[in-house]
Amino acid sequence: MMNNKIIRTGICLFSVFILAFIYIFFSGDSFARQTGKLMVSPGNTILYFNRFGLEVKGWDNDGCTFFFIPSYIDVKDIDQSESVIKICTEGGDEIKEPVMNRVIDVLVKSEADGSLTPWRLGFFQSDDLYTIDISLEGLEYYDIDHYEYTGAVIDVYSPRGRLTYHEADALIKGRGNSSWLPDPEYHKEPYQFKLPDDISLCGMKSTDKWALIYDDPTRIRNKLSYDLSANMGMEYAIESEWADVYINGDYMGCYLLCHEPDIGSGDLNIGSLSAYNRHYMNGAEVIETSDLKGYDYSIGSGRVSDGGYLIEKNAEERYRNKNSGFKSGDDFFTIKSPGYASLDEAGYIRDFVGRVDEKIHNNGTEQLSMIDAYSFARQYLMTELSLDPDGGFTSCYFYKKPGEDILYAGPCWDYDGAYGRWTDPVYKDYNSSTFVIQKHISDTSGGVPLDWDKVLLENTEYSDYVAAVFRECMPEYEKLMTSGIDEYYRKIFVSACMDQIRWEGYIGYEDKIRNSYKQLRFFLYNRLKHMAEVYGCAYSIPEPDIYDDTSHVLTFIYEDGHTEEMTVKDGAQLQQEELPDFDRSRYEGWRSDDQYLSLLSYYDPIFEDRSFVLAHY
């Protein structure tokens, strides 16, 4: 009996041990650390992490092989046992623990003859980010079509390596307007993937359509804006999380995973008519009139008003490329939801927006009667704070709930060109306003901005309310400037560096990220200071600690080839009279000799060595 009891106890203890091992091995953030098997030769490199079925390809550039490794992989001990070529130190000893997040000089040792070849390796690994691993059958990343879906397998890993989602029947395509570039093999592209069901990814609300968007050089502007709009109290704000993305083992960069603006269970749950539309359309054609476009079918007049509507103020050329929308006065709107909107639905929301527009422009006692001032004021303040060049022209969303004769503003969307990023001084002038930018764009391109904010602010009651909202939100702005933006920067820095190396090269990669961040901090500090003065709000935010003791050389290149140089301190703001002279009847000013072509102005502080050429009018 005693022996049987001991055996039973042993079995129980062994079972507990096995269960504990299974839990530790498979549970979210507690699995054992992993070691990869590294096979290396210059130009033909790959890292294998067998337990995850993940292979990370080396990327050769600037005489170096780079490995962009997911945040959850432990590479402290490299297993080279199956490699016919070893990575060694100068003394020929096998490297056991690589130096992370910088380039190191190594020797590649041939097991066949013992020869040593000098080489350079860069092991880079982001910290605490999700990983999205996408596999395509028979295609490479540059084969993904801008408009048509293709099949994909998608795996999502937590920052600590737990496989949180696997889907073998996903679909992926490109997305975006100006952000989708030709020659996708050589440019980072945005994507959209579609899942069979509504699923929560990375702790966000469930949906079946997800966007992978890329951002400005800081990789911060969009997430900052979406989070800030939520913290300001917007009912409908975009959730987002950064992730490192791999396609067929190729590192594609740092992306922001988020929902696109839509009506549905994971977004604004106000009743979607899209399912009805798909059921009834039966291959209906798109019909366009002078102020209306939509599919030629009907779900029944009584049902048209039963669901919510999400519309986007859009540019005319983008309206022309959409299947559902309407024109109200001089403004073009596209219908984001419901999808496949019929002519009946387009006509219904057109008539409603027309009544809203009429109330706003009547400037009477009922001017505010058909808008939700709460959301309108907050969306305007986001546009004004960021000096978003798209504001009033495109990516301006509004929604209507069923059973209400009220138009709501939101969600705030697409800020990668905002916060002083665009090229010319009018976009960088932190003492300016969104209406100055709108006039500049209208005068130069002929675009027509939506004038609702401008007209509403002529109403003293409403403008006082906007000022009160700004003061109410001041703690959020202070938190953003004193801790929030720094936390974003720390979290994303290494991943942003990896992205920079992958798509733009290794030379000066850290400085480019750092300087872009300094520009953003500089703009936000001065912009908030100006707005606080406008709205009569105490401003206690300390000046950002972004300057150092370095000096930078500015080179000014004339058309005849001769140059002038000047040396300035870090963060210097230069007045026009301090710059080398030129024929002002022929040239607009000094423009950056790089891809951004920024006109140098007082609002463009110097954080790096730069070259300038003369810009013709």
Side-chain angles (χ1 to χ4, degrees), residues 328-571:
S328 178
D330 293 327
D331 300 309
F332 292 88
F333 292 86
T334 52
I335 300 174
K336 184 71 175 181
S337 187
Y340 312 102
S342 66
L343 280 174
D344 290 348
E345 292 166 328
Y348 169 78
I349 192 64
R350 175 203 58 191
D351 294 344
F352 172 76
V353 170
R355 295 197 302 275
V356 171
D357 184 75
E358 183 179 356
K359 295 285 187 185
I360 289 174
H361 283 91
N362 276 345
N363 199 24
T365 57
E366 295 187 348
Q367 186 181 28
L368 308 178
S369 62
M370 291 187 69
I371 68 165
D372 174 56
Y374 184 95
S375 58
F376 266 68
R378 283 159 176 78
Q379 178 162 277
Y380 163 72
L381 285 172
M382 281 298 305
T383 303
E384 183 71 359
L385 170 64
S386 65
L387 287 183
D388 181 15
D390 286 340
F393 292 96
T394 186
S395 299
C396 304
Y397 284 92
F398 303 90
Y399 57 95
K400 180 189 181 302
K401 300 178 180 180
E404 293 187 14
D405 282 334
I406 298 292
L407 187 66
Y408 295 78
C412 297
W413 176 253
D414 193 5
Y415 289 84
D416 60 315
Y419 303 98
R421 185 190 171 201
W422 272 24
T423 56
D424 291 340
V426 67
Y427 306 111
K428 298 176 181 293
D429 182 356
Y430 43 75
N431 293 323
S432 185
S433 80
T434 187
F435 304 126
V436 172
I437 289 177
Q438 288 177 355
K439 185 177 187 308
H440 172 78
I441 294 174
S442 294
D443 290 345
T444 55
S445 69
V448 178
L450 186 65
D451 67 352
W452 288 349
D453 285 329
K454 189 173 184 179
V455 173
L456 287 169
L457 287 167
E458 294 171 359
N459 182 319
T460 302
E461 176 188 353
Y462 181 74
S463 63
D464 289 346
Y465 175 68
V466 169
V469 172
F470 179 85
R471 293 191 290 270
E472 176 188 325
C473 293
M474 197 65 199
E476 292 299 330
Y477 304 141
E478 291 176 344
K479 185 165 60 177
L480 171 68
M481 291 303 299
T482 56
S483 61
I485 192 170
D486 291 331
E487 291 174 6
Y488 288 136
Y489 177 66
R490 284 191 293 269
K491 184 178 180 69
I492 205 66
F493 179 73
V494 176
S495 185
C497 288
M498 291 161 56
D499 194 312
Q500 183 78 20
I501 295 169
R502 169 65 177 86
W503 292 105
E504 297 190 35
Y506 172 67
I507 306 302
Y509 70 97
E510 284 188 325
D511 288 339
K512 290 176 181 177
I513 303 299
R514 214 173 271 120
N515 293 335
S516 297
Y517 168 74
K518 289 163 76 171
Q519 291 275 358
L520 176 58
R521 287 277 272 144
F522 169 86
F523 177 90
L524 267 172
Y525 169 78
N526 286 286
R527 184 64 184 151
L528 278 168
K529 184 177 180 181
H530 170 73
M531 291 181 68
E533 293 173 357
V534 170
Y535 292 121
C537 185
Y539 191 70
S540 58
I541 299 174
E543 187 169 358
D545 183 18
I546 57 175
Y547 308 103
D548 54 44
D549 294 329
T550 60
S551 296
H552 307 292
V553 177
L554 307 184
T555 304
F556 299 87
I557 307 169
Y558 288 87
E559 284 194 325
D560 63 5
H562 89 272
T563 63
E564 293 188 26
E565 289 187 351
M566 62 186 301
T567 301
V568 300
K569 292 182 178 180
D570 188 62

Side-chain angles (χ1 to χ4, degrees), residues 153-168:
V153 178
I154 293 181
D155 293 303
V156 180
Y157 293 91
S158 76
R160 296 294 299 276
R162 181 168 63 95
L163 178 61
T164 61
Y165 181 70
H166 168 79
E167 179 51 62

